[in-house]
Amino acid sequence: MDSETNKKLPVTDPLKSEGKEKNGSAMTKQGAYAAISYMASAVLLVMFNKAALSSYSFPYANVITLFQMLCSCLFLYVLKFWKIISFTTSEPQNMSNNPARLVSFKTLLHSLPLALSYLLYMLITMESVRAINVPMYTTLRRTTVAFTMIVEYLLTGQKHSLRVVGSVGIIILGAFVAGARDLSFDAYGYAVVFVANICTAVYLASIARIGKSSGLNSFGLMWCNGIICGPILLFWTSFRGDLEAMRNFPFLFSPGFQVVMLLSCIMAFLINYFVFMNTTLNSALTQTICGNLKDLFTIGFGWILFGGLPFDLMNVVGQSLGFFGSCLYAYYKLKGQ
């Protein structure tokens, strides 16, 4: 029994972390690993999604999201079947491998708000990646921290020290400075990104709230998201004709495009896992700040690979301010302030 348990991938127990962040405790070593792993997978996911949507001009963002969900459910089922993972922290070893019985219907209903916020978060975020260039996308996404602090307080009562609030203020200031003279301003693109920020804040706060009361670990929450959202998205893409139209996409059987899609699906699975790990081990706000820290690398790679943003000193100053604020936040959390 012990050897079998040791083979399982690390998961989070939301009940153990409940109330931990309310007192501003320091980040644990496992929490730091989750944060770093999230940042690495997030940079790669943005690059692969941007490559599919822009470099190959794939016009069906919802189809990419659908494939990512289906692959995630497939990965989870295979790992569960091989007993590498579990969906709860106290799961019986003889539990059925029937996909319909892996999680009870009552638990699915309990996680429904999280799943629906996840679906909205995925769809709007994918559209925002297409609607704006990578550097400005990452810049505007930094304002998510403000939305996250508000939603987190409303849903979970989470409060933060003045030092943490000050570091968040520096991040937001940097975002406004960076976008003040954006020469490629697109009102629609900006609006979509801000809607994505609101959806992200609601989704992350929902993880912190529902994850602690559902009895599910990271993999269980991911499974519920896929089981609930997959059929909805399949119906939506079929209704809009995206799946039918995709058959005429000229690069559909291109090896390069297929590799990009496969890597996008793998990164989506990993990033969802690390989002749950990071949010439950640390906090929704910490997860948002990690998104800001990885932006430095995303901006650099996006500039090199995709371009789209003329050089401007104000933009560089704003990016630097945002990065400095993110580093301040990380320092305060590591010190438990």
Side-chain angles (χ1 to χ4, degrees):
M1 177 76 70
D2 291 339
S3 61
E4 185 173 304
T5 302
N6 291 336
K7 289 191 297 183
K8 291 188 176 182
L9 296 177
V11 295
T12 57
D13 183 356
L15 297 177
K16 290 182 180 179
S17 60
E18 187 170 6
K20 177 183 64 176
E21 285 293 326
K22 288 188 178 184
N23 298 321
S25 58
M27 184 183 294
T28 64
K29 182 180 292 186
Q30 190 179 12
Y33 288 154
I36 294 172
S37 299
Y38 160 75
M39 288 187 281
S41 58
V43 172
L44 293 174
L45 179 62
V46 171
M47 294 299 107
F48 292 134
N49 284 345
K50 189 67 177 178
L53 294 169
S54 297
S55 297
Y56 285 98
S57 300
F58 186 68
Y60 311 111
N62 292 344
V63 173
I64 296 180
T65 305
L66 175 62
F67 284 163
Q68 290 173 348
M69 279 188 189
L70 294 177
C71 287
S72 179
C73 287
L74 177 61
F75 293 154
L76 288 170
Y77 180 76
V78 171
L79 292 173
K80 179 70 175 61
F81 182 82
W82 288 341
K83 300 188 187 310
I84 298 176
I85 64 172
S86 63
F87 287 169
T88 65
T89 54
S90 57
E91 188 170 292
Q93 293 297 319
N94 59 350
M95 190 169 183
S96 170
N97 284 320
N98 185 336
R101 299 179 181 178
L102 291 179
V103 174
S104 68
F105 182 73
K106 181 179 180 181
T107 303
L108 282 176
L109 284 180
H110 184 77
S111 63
L112 183 62
L114 175 64
L116 294 180
S117 65
Y118 168 74
L119 179 62
L120 192 60
Y121 154 75
M122 288 285 287
L123 294 177
I124 300 297
T125 299
M126 186 67 71
E127 178 61 24
S128 67
V129 172
R130 182 220 296 274
I132 199 169
N133 58 69
V134 171
M136 283 312 303
Y137 166 79
T138 53
T139 298
L140 295 176
R141 287 286 280 165
R142 288 180 181 172
T143 60
T144 304
V145 294
F147 298 105
T148 302
M149 291 184 74
I150 295 172
V151 173
E152 197 175 38
Y153 174 76
L154 293 176
L155 293 183
T156 66
Q158 177 76 39
K159 296 180 180 180
H160 302 278
S161 67
L162 288 178
R163 291 182 176 181
V164 169
V165 174
S167 64
V168 170
I170 295 175
I171 294 170
I172 297 174
L173 175 63
F176 279 110
V177 171
R181 296 201 329 218
D182 178 21
L183 301 180
S184 57
F185 177 80
D186 182 338
Y188 170 76
Y190 274 48
V192 171
V193 173
F194 280 117
V195 172
N197 290 348
I198 298 174
C199 295
T200 302
V202 173
Y203 172 58
L204 294 178
S206 298
I207 292 176
R209 184 184 185 186
I210 296 177
K212 292 171 183 176
S213 59
S214 65
L216 298 171
N217 59 30
S218 307
F219 296 115
L221 292 172
M222 290 171 63
W223 176 260
C224 289
N225 280 351
I227 290 297
I228 295 174
C229 299
I232 297 175
L233 192 55
L234 178 62
F235 170 79
W236 178 246
T237 51
S238 300
F239 177 77
R240 292 187 56 183
D242 290 349
L243 291 177
E244 182 68 23
M246 182 191 65
R247 298 172 57 183
N248 299 322
F249 181 64
F251 298 107
L252 183 60
F253 298 103
S254 167
F257 175 73
Q258 292 180 349
V259 168
V260 166
M261 288 290 291
L262 176 62
L263 292 175
S264 174
C265 291
I266 293 174
M267 287 300 111
F269 172 77
L270 291 177
I271 197 175
N272 282 329
Y273 170 58
F274 291 128
V275 163
F276 283 118
M277 287 281 288
N278 196 23
T279 304
T280 52
L281 285 172
N282 300 309
S283 73
L285 184 60
T286 299
Q287 165 62 31
T288 305
I289 298 295
C290 287
N292 291 335
L293 280 172
K294 58 85 179 171
D295 284 348
L296 179 66
F297 302 100
T298 305
I299 290 169
F301 288 133
W303 232 319
I304 294 171
L305 297 177
F306 305 109
L309 183 68
F311 176 82
D312 182 71
L313 182 60
M314 289 288 287
N315 189 279
V316 174
V317 172
Q319 303 287 1
S320 302
L321 275 174
F323 184 70
F324 174 69
S326 299
C327 291
L328 270 183
Y329 175 88
Y331 173 78
Y332 291 146
K333 295 308 293 181
L334 287 172
K335 293 295 183 181
Q337 298 177 358

